[in-house]
Structure formats: structure tokens, C-alpha cells
Amino acid sequence: MPNQEAGLRGSDLELVQVTKRYGATVAVDAINLRVKAGTYCCLLGPSGCGKSSTLRMIAGHEAVSEGDIILGPTNVTDLPPARRGTAMMFQSYALFPHLSCADNVAFSLKMRGVAKAQRRAEAMRLLELVAMERYAERLPAQLSGGQQQRVALARALITKPQILLLDEPLSALDPFLRIKMRAELKKLQKELGITFIHVTHGEDEAMALADLMVVMNQGLIEQAGTPREVFNAPATAFIARFIGGHNIVADASGAIAVRTDKLRLTKAVNGAARTAVVSDVEYQGSYVQVGLAADFATELTANLSEAAFDAEPFNPGDTVAVSWREADIHRLGAAT
Ligand code: ADP
Ligand code: MG
């Protein structure tokens, strides 16, 4: 019996050695991942690393080359999309232009043969959930981008999925709306208690949303953990560079990462183990960003609190001693 009709809610998702090949291209390379029920999971990584392929395999829109996708007690690897208990939220332009919001939302119930009155009632309930009930009779073209996104969300949720899959859902929105909509997504996910798997290439978006942040690189999962775990202890130089906010420094044992807000600078350079020359100073409001040229790192940045900077200001051309606490060092795995 399909997951959906069995009424199973709150199942864990497991990817076992999942691989996707397009001809000779290995887009996803034998990844393993467990996502507990009710998790906001972000798949993060640079363009081409395999995020969308992974999402589409979970949705059933792309065949798995090798491996298994398990949802709760069911191996869904070979099930069609509508029978998996997953739903994909497509971008706003995937709304049918000639159908009202209510009819767009009700569409998949119509396909399933649900009677008109019932699907109308369900569609209105979902439109209420995304605060769009007042716009039920409007056509998509009569809505703003953010409103279209909400309708698309309602349309995906009407099938009562256990897992909602979202591929860069905020990328078409302007920066202000993007931040507003991401807060709405997070709130909605908590209210529904279902799993969201959200693909993004923006580390700030992933940090803001994710309970579980999965960083991909070249078809592999390079690190999975909470945003804090990943930010405080990036596993590799790739991760440290990709999520930003870190300096990568070569030392005797290999490479280490030190957060930009953990560097200490002082003009007293006598006996200092490491020195650098200030190349630029930028006031950023809540902190001052000091760019440094050094022979022990290709790029070096110190973010100082305004108070710390004011206590000992620096100017371009100053030679400074650079140090950090032993506790603020994170050793990095082999570079990829
Ligand atoms: P992302 O979403 O992280 O940008 P994708 O999963 O879209 O990455 O793509 C991963 C790799 O697979 C890329 O090298 C991409 O060019 C390739 N790829 C994706 N879809 C196809 C396809 N339909 N046919 C051939 N190659 C593809
Ligand atoms: Mg993609």
C-alpha cells in the first residue's frame, strides 16, 4: 500500500549509497544520509554539486542509478512520485496561468478523482494556512511573486506529504522578500511538523533555516550537521571556504580554520609568531572588517568588534601581530 494511503506520518528518510549518473557524468556519488522525521534539512553546495539531482531522486522525478531511498518502512526507490508520500514545490511559474488560485491548489485532488466540494474545501484550508484565502479566485498573473510562492506551497501541501521538497524556492525573489519568505517557510514547517528538504546554494539561507545542514561537493556529502556544528567545526577547507567567516591557515600539521571573529590583532609585534600587514579597513556597522596580507595564509580577514577596534585602531600599511587562542583552532581534513 502506498505510504500516502497508509496514512503514515512522520517517517524518517534514508538514502543508502544513492548514485545518479547521466551517461559518463557521476552527478551523485553513493551518498548516505538519514533525515529524521520533522527535520528542516537544507542541501547546500555550489552549482553542479548534485543537489537538484538528489532532490529529484527523492521526489521520484529522476530514476536512481544505484542505491535505495527508504521512507519509514517502505523502499520507495521505484515508486512513482504520487505514491511516495513526498511532494515537490515547484517555482511560481509552474502555476497554471488559466486556473484560479483555488483551482491550482485543488488540481492534484482533481487528478485523484476527489469530488468537487471536498477538493474545494481542502484547497481553501490550505490557502488559509498560507494566508492566501482572500485571493482564492485570482489568477496567478494577478499576484505578486511572494503570493505566487505561497500558492505553490499550498498546492504542494494539499497531497499531505510526509516530506516537502523545495528546489531553490526563494531564488526568484528580491532580497527583502526572500528573507520574509524564508521565515514563513520555517514557521510553516514547524507548524506542520513534516520534513522539509530545501535545496539552496546560499549558506546564509541554510544557516537560517536548517536543523540539518548537508553540504555537498562534487556529488559527495562533505559534511552533515547542525549549522552550528558545521560553522564551528568545518570538516574540510572546502567547507570552511564555502560557508565563509573563516581563515584558512597552513601550520606544521596541515591546514587549520580560525573564524574571522576570533583573530586578535595588536601593534606590539615584538616576539610575535605571526605578523601581517593591514591592507584595508572596512566599517560594517556591528563590526570592523580588517583585511590583512600575510605569508601564512592566502586570504586573511579579522572581524573586530567596534569596541575592540576603537581601543586599538589600525590603518592600511600597519604591521600587526596576529594571534588566536588554541581553543579557537579547528583542524581541517584533506582538501578536496
Ligand atoms: P546542482 O543542483 O547542485 O546545481 P545538479 O544535480 O543539477 O546540481 O547537477 C549535477 C551534475 O549533473 C552537473 O554536472 C550537471 O551538469 C549534471 N546534470 C544534471 N542534470 C543532468 C541531465 N539531465 N543530463 C545530463 N547531466 C545532468
Ligand atoms: Mg540545482
Side-chain angles (χ1 to χ4, degrees):
M1 185 182 267
N3 274 353
Q4 177 105 32
E5 279 127 67
L8 294 171
R9 300 302 294 262
S11 299
D12 295 353
L13 172 72
E14 201 176 351
L15 307 187
V16 184
Q17 297 287 106
V18 169
T19 298
K20 179 67 199 180
R21 283 192 213 92
Y22 302 100
T25 307
V26 182
V28 179
D29 192 359
I31 61 169
N32 293 297
L33 178 67
R34 194 180 185 103
V35 182
K36 284 222 182 80
T39 300
Y40 204 120
C41 172
C42 285
L43 294 184
L44 173 69
S47 179
C49 71
K51 305 179 296 294
S52 293
S53 298
T54 302
L55 202 72
R56 290 200 305 264
M57 286 191 286
I58 297 169
H61 295 302
E62 194 78 75
V64 172
S65 304
E66 264 164 56
D68 289 293
I69 299 176
I70 319 280
L71 186 54
T74 313
N75 189 329
V76 300
T77 315
D78 299 316
L79 288 182
R83 291 182 55 201
R84 295 182 167 216
T86 59
M88 186 101 161
M89 184 190 136
F90 295 100
Q91 299 236 339
S92 53
Y93 51 74
L95 292 174
F96 298 115
H98 58 290
L99 293 185
S100 70
C101 290
D103 288 342
N104 261 287
V105 174
F107 185 78
S108 65
L109 296 188
K110 187 176 183 183
M111 292 295 100
R112 286 166 197 222
V114 175
K116 188 167 185 180
Q118 192 189 337
R119 60 180 199 252
R120 170 84 196 178
E122 266 300 287
M124 289 310 292
R125 193 180 66 78
L126 266 302
L127 283 172
E128 257 169 62
L129 184 71
V130 295
M132 285 295 292
E133 68 275 19
R134 289 195 298 127
Y135 301 88
E137 300 318 320
R138 290 234 191 137
L139 294 174
Q142 298 167 317
L143 301 176
S144 72
Q147 291 170 333
Q148 290 185 31
Q149 293 276 349
R150 289 205 202 121
V151 175
L153 203 54
R155 189 173 65 165
L157 291 169
I158 202 162
T159 59
K160 297 197 173 70
Q162 300 182 59
I163 302 188
L164 182 67
L165 305 162
L166 311 104
D167 197 348
E168 312 236 4
L170 306 175
S171 60
L173 305 175
D174 66 59
F176 174 77
L177 205 51
R178 194 179 307 147
I179 288 170
K180 184 168 176 281
M181 282 300 292
R182 93 179 176 204
E184 286 183 19
L185 280 179
K186 179 83 175 173
K187 184 163 165 274
L188 192 60
Q189 186 267 336
K190 290 289 169 248
E191 277 169 20
L192 294 167
I194 65 172
T195 298
F196 277 27
I197 302 184
H198 174 140
V199 162
T200 176
H201 60 264
E203 79 292 341
D204 54 337
E205 195 166 301
M207 295 268 213
L209 286 169
D211 301 313
L212 175 64
M213 188 158 126
V214 178
V215 192
M216 294 184 69
N217 184 25
Q218 298 183 349
L220 298 168
I221 293 176
E222 195 135 325
Q223 188 169 10
T226 66
R228 273 169 191 255
E229 282 165 356
V230 174
F231 190 74
N232 287 320
T236 63
F238 163 80
I239 304 261
R241 266 189 221 104
F242 188 74
I243 60 176
H246 290 80
N247 292 297
I248 299 168
V249 176
D251 84 345
S253 64
I256 59 171
V258 185
R259 279 166 50 162
T260 53
D261 58 344
K262 301 292 187 187
L263 288 197
R264 293 170 173 179
L265 307 182
T266 170
K267 281 186 204 156
V269 296
N270 277 348
R274 291 186 173 88
T275 61
V277 176
V278 173
S279 51
D280 54 89
V281 175
E282 286 182 358
Y283 178 64
Q284 299 280 348
S286 54
Y287 62 94
V288 179
Q289 182 173 304
V290 181
L292 299 149
D295 57 9
F296 56 89
T298 43
E299 276 175 62
L300 197 67
T301 304
N303 288 348
L304 307 175
S305 72
E306 198 176 6
F309 183 83
D310 288 348
E312 193 183 7
F314 305 105
N315 290 303
D318 289 350
T319 297
V320 295
V322 181
S323 63
W324 46 78
R325 296 186 314 155
E326 196 62 28
D328 291 328
I329 291 174
H330 286 286
R331 302 212 166 268
L332 299 169
T336 55

